[in-house]
Amino acid sequence: MATVTDPSSLASFSKCITRHLNLRFHVDFDRHVIKGNVALTIEALEDKLSSLILDTKDLKINKVTANGQDAKFTLGAAHSFNGSPLEITLPFELSRGQHVIIEVSYETSPQAFALQWLTPEQTAGKKHPYLFSQCQATHCRTMVPCQDTPSVKHTYYAQVSVPKELVAVMSAVRDGQEADPKDSSRTIYRFRQAVAMPSYLIAIVVGALESREIGPRTRVWSEKELVDLAAYEFAETEAMLKTAEQLAGPYVWGQYDLLVLPPSFPYGGMENPCLTFATPTLLAGDRSLSSVIAHEIAHSWTGNLVTTKTWEHFWLNEGHTVYLERMIAGRMFNEPFRQFKAMGGWKELQDSINTFGAKNPLTNLVPDLNEVNTDEAFSLVPYEKGFALLYHLEELLGGSEVFMGFVKSYIQMFAHNSVSTDDWKNYLYKYFTDKVDILNKVDWNGWMHTPGMPPVKTQYDTTLADACIALCKRWIKASEADLSSFSAADLQKLSSHQVIEFLALLLHEEPIPLSHVKRMQEVYNLNAVKNSEIRFRWLRVCVRAKWEEAVPLAFQMATEQGRMKFTRPLFRELYNFDKYREQTVSTFLKCRSAMHAVTAMLVAKDLKIDQGKSTAL
């Protein structure tokens, strides 16, 4: 078998592999650090193993032992984004198949990329500080010395000491709590994760958290100010889980909890096992944004159970997850709705590729990430280009039921493992052994290794999109005299998903005149809509039309939440409005310290601040 290499990891995982982590965290809110101790159970994959390398970044290493004996260690030269290799020399040799427990005592940096420390003022309750982690893709090494590659999967156990007025939760099953024997003002929370998973799925949150039960295996967690709204918003979670199980097989993780984070969380959701993280921008009060939760649920199979081998094959996680998410939607609603969501995804793919540039190699489905920061490579391409490929194969191979049979079999075949695109493709050919001639006609190079849009444009059922398309055309073609023909009734016939699509279609056209935007607000009152997906697109339409009254609202949305899907495009639109370019930069610089580190880095690049540090985008 060929040796697996990962350009995003410095660890020696071809020589030895982590089987289990035992974590002890002391969360220090005063110094913004975690004082950590990790015992890694490591198995030798070769004879005469006498040294190994772990991934670290900005960690202070105090001591290393191997089976209780002191071990020599050195931190290698720091790579600009991959961190520093922790080189450990064992006081003995291991034979292939033998295990060693490597224990590392260390401390994180206050600037650890995986961790965001919030002041009480940045929380809903305003009384207590808050900590959350985000390890995907390569930030676990800033929180734990580990083999920080999705090629390696391990179980973990954790004990977390926090101030007793706060609650800790992790991406694992809760295993009780007790007073900290070393400090009566603190509580220790315990967690166990018995299903092997990659390091990027280790997650921790500490805050003034409450929970509500919303199903036989589901609780929602958040600060008390949001917990009841979250319980309402995510009430359909168990129904989604059951639908996903019908499609993909048994749910193996036991508990499926949801946690609503403070606004600075940079993503819509994060599929941490047993504890999905969700952005508060989902709390629109109309249950229209459940596709994000369906996506994170789907990751329980595609991503968490079957995992990409390296980040270059990220589409295996995300393309399959989008496909499964839309299959869930099709089952819970109807097939036209699945098609409608697929159409919207195609447009989002176009937007993403336009932002990168159609010839940018990072728009390949399988990009080369050698000397590329995974944060800067992140985009919707693996999600939507991956989905488009799977949908194209569905059409070629016999429809959704036939192709979903393959997806379920693929999950069963590779459960608990990490896979590459070649592994997936070889299994595809094996499963469809009677349709090899059809598969041979697929332009695999065009799909996998060519930048830009896919080589095939799929035709989707437009039943639900036709009304959106018609309304968009009316606005584009309308003269000043036609504006009186629009009324509130135009939108009353549309679902929130269709309103989102209508605005997305407008963003694919030349900016509409200012008079049209003002009339749109007059008849539709979109400024009053709380649904974040509608508000985001509407404000972009306004800024493009150079409606100055909307500029403060756009700044407000860009800064009051940190979800990159919204924050980055809004800052880009404001930056492109020449009159407000200077204000855009100064607003960002003022808010930068309150943003998640990844968001701040990427918005800075969008606004051409800090240029020269990297050229990936």
Side-chain angles (χ1 to χ4, degrees), residues 306-366:
V306 181
T307 307
T308 180
K309 197 160 269 186
T310 72
W311 296 109
E312 295 164 307
H313 305 280
F314 189 40
W315 82 272
L316 292 171
N317 282 15
E318 297 301 348
H320 286 85
T321 298
V322 174
Y323 185 83
L324 190 48
E325 163 207 331
R326 289 179 182 153
M327 286 296 290
I328 293 169
R331 288 276 178 96
M332 292 186 71
F333 299 100
N334 51 43
E335 178 60 17
F337 184 68
R338 181 176 86 107
Q339 299 276 324
F340 177 73
K341 296 298 284 184
M343 277 186 70
W346 183 269
K347 271 193 287 302
E348 291 196 323
L349 176 60
Q350 286 177 311
D351 290 342
S352 190
I353 286 173
N354 290 341
T355 301
F356 271 97
K359 293 185 178 175
N360 191 317
L362 291 181
T363 64
N364 288 9
L365 195 55
V366 184

Side-chain angles (χ1 to χ4, degrees), residues 173 179 356 480 586:
V173 175
F356 271 97
E480 298 291 323
S586 64

Side-chain angles (χ1 to χ4, degrees), residues 18-218:
T18 305
R19 297 299 184 190
H20 181 75
L21 298 183
N22 199 320
L23 298 163
R24 292 204 301 275
F25 287 163
H26 180 99
V27 178
D28 186 338
F29 278 99
D30 293 331
R31 295 178 53 232
H32 287 185
V33 299
I34 290 177
K35 287 179 262 189
N37 184 287
V38 59
L40 305 96
T41 303
I42 289 177
E43 179 183 337
L45 299 179
E46 62 183 30
D47 284 325
K48 297 187 177 178
L49 181 72
S50 59
S51 66
L52 58 95
I53 295 173
L54 300 178
D55 284 305
T56 76
K57 188 177 182 189
D58 301 328
L59 295 180
K60 179 185 172 189
I61 308 298
N62 298 318
K63 186 177 182 181
V64 178
T65 64
N67 288 350
Q69 299 179 45
D70 284 355
K72 291 179 182 173
F73 66 91
T74 57
L75 273 175
H79 183 275
S80 58
F81 47 79
N82 281 339
S84 306
L86 174 59
E87 301 170 21
I88 298 168
T89 303
L90 301 176
F92 42 74
E93 284 188 346
L94 290 180
S95 300
R96 182 185 174 96
Q98 281 190 309
H99 290 66
V100 61
I101 294 180
I102 301 290
E103 193 164 347
V104 184
S105 174
Y106 67 96
E107 186 172 287
T108 63
S109 160
Q111 285 77 44
F113 253 64
L115 303 173
Q116 186 166 17
W117 303 85
L118 303 180
T119 63
E121 295 71 37
Q122 290 173 287
T123 68
K126 311 294 183 193
K127 289 180 184 171
H128 298 289
Y130 196 106
L131 166 69
F132 71 86
S133 68
Q134 173 58 33
C135 288
Q136 192 181 46
T138 57
H139 301 313
C140 189
R141 65 195 69 177
T142 70
M143 186 170 82
V144 183
C146 60
Q147 294 182 312
D148 198 9
T149 170
S151 291
V152 174
K153 290 184 157 186
H154 48 70
T155 53
Y156 80 84
Y157 193 87
Q159 302 169 71
V160 183
S161 173
V162 302
K164 67 180 180 183
E165 62 273 17
L166 303 180
V167 174
V169 287
M170 291 190 76
S171 55
V173 175
R174 296 183 305 285
D175 195 37
Q177 65 192 74
E178 63 189 22
D180 188 333
K182 294 178 183 174
D183 186 340
S184 60
S185 70
R186 301 177 71 87
T187 302
I188 290 177
Y189 289 87
R190 301 177 184 278
F191 306 91
R192 57 184 163 81
Q193 180 52 266
V195 182
M197 48 164 252
S199 55
Y200 74 85
L201 293 175
I202 297 174
I204 183 170
V205 172
V206 181
L209 301 174
E210 291 191 7
S211 70
R212 300 283 186 273
E213 188 176 290
I214 58 169
R217 49 188 161 174
T218 304

Side-chain angles (χ1 to χ4, degrees), residues 79 142 189 205 279 375 379 448 499 554 590:
H79 183 275
T142 70
Y189 289 87
V205 172
T279 167
D375 288 326
S379 75
M448 301 289 182
V499 176
K590 204 184 301 175

Side-chain angles (χ1 to χ4, degrees), residues 204-424:
I204 183 170
V205 172
V206 181
L209 301 174
E210 291 191 7
S211 70
R212 300 283 186 273
E213 188 176 290
I214 58 169
R217 49 188 161 174
T218 304
R219 303 186 78 83
V220 291
W221 295 81
S222 78
E223 294 178 81
K224 69 178 179 183
E225 290 78 9
L226 296 174
V227 73
D228 291 321
L229 179 56
Y232 167 81
E233 193 71 47
F234 302 137
E236 295 176 356
T237 300
E238 179 63 23
M240 284 189 205
L241 265 172
K242 284 181 175 171
T243 304
E245 285 184 303
Q246 290 164 12
L247 290 163
Y251 178 77
V252 305
W253 304 91
Q255 191 75 5
Y256 184 86
D257 285 3
L258 289 150
L259 184 139
V260 179
L261 285 122
S264 59
F265 181 60
Y267 302 104
M270 180 62 208
E271 64 274 15
N272 303 308
C274 308
L275 188 71
T276 281
F277 285 7
T279 167
T281 64
L282 298 182
L283 302 181
D286 62 4
R287 295 191 186 170
S288 66
L289 302 175
S290 57
S291 60
V292 172
I293 301 306
H295 182 89
E296 305 311 332
I297 284 173
H299 264 308
S300 304
W301 289 267
T302 48
N304 297 7
L305 189 59
V306 181
T307 307
T308 180
K309 197 160 269 186
T310 72
W311 296 109
E312 295 164 307
H313 305 280
F314 189 40
W315 82 272
L316 292 171
N317 282 15
E318 297 301 348
H320 286 85
T321 298
V322 174
Y323 185 83
L324 190 48
E325 163 207 331
R326 289 179 182 153
M327 286 296 290
I328 293 169
R331 288 276 178 96
M332 292 186 71
F333 299 100
N334 51 43
E335 178 60 17
F337 184 68
R338 181 176 86 107
Q339 299 276 324
F340 177 73
K341 296 298 284 184
M343 277 186 70
W346 183 269
K347 271 193 287 302
E348 291 196 323
L349 176 60
Q350 286 177 311
D351 290 342
S352 190
I353 286 173
N354 290 341
T355 301
F356 271 97
K359 293 185 178 175
N360 191 317
L362 291 181
T363 64
N364 288 9
L365 195 55
V366 184
D368 178 359
L369 294 185
N370 194 43
E371 289 303 317
V372 174
N373 186 336
T374 52
D375 288 326
E376 296 179 17
F378 180 84
S379 75
L380 280 174
V381 171
Y383 295 70
E384 295 296 349
K385 202 172 190 177
F387 170 83
L389 170 59
L390 297 176
Y391 187 86
H392 176 56
L393 291 171
E394 172 193 303
E395 288 196 309
L396 290 177
L397 295 165
S400 62
E401 292 302 314
V402 171
F403 195 70
M404 193 61 224
F406 160 72
V407 173
K408 186 173 185 178
S409 179
Y410 158 75
I411 291 166
Q412 290 169 339
M413 178 68 187
F414 294 105
H416 305 287
N417 289 302
S418 301
V419 295
S420 67
T421 298
D422 281 347
D423 296 328
W424 169 85

Side-chain angles (χ1 to χ4, degrees), residues 493-504:
K493 305 170 210 162
L494 304 183
S495 70
S496 54
H497 294 284
Q498 288 173 302
V499 176
I500 291 165
E501 176 65 10
F502 156 64
L503 293 169

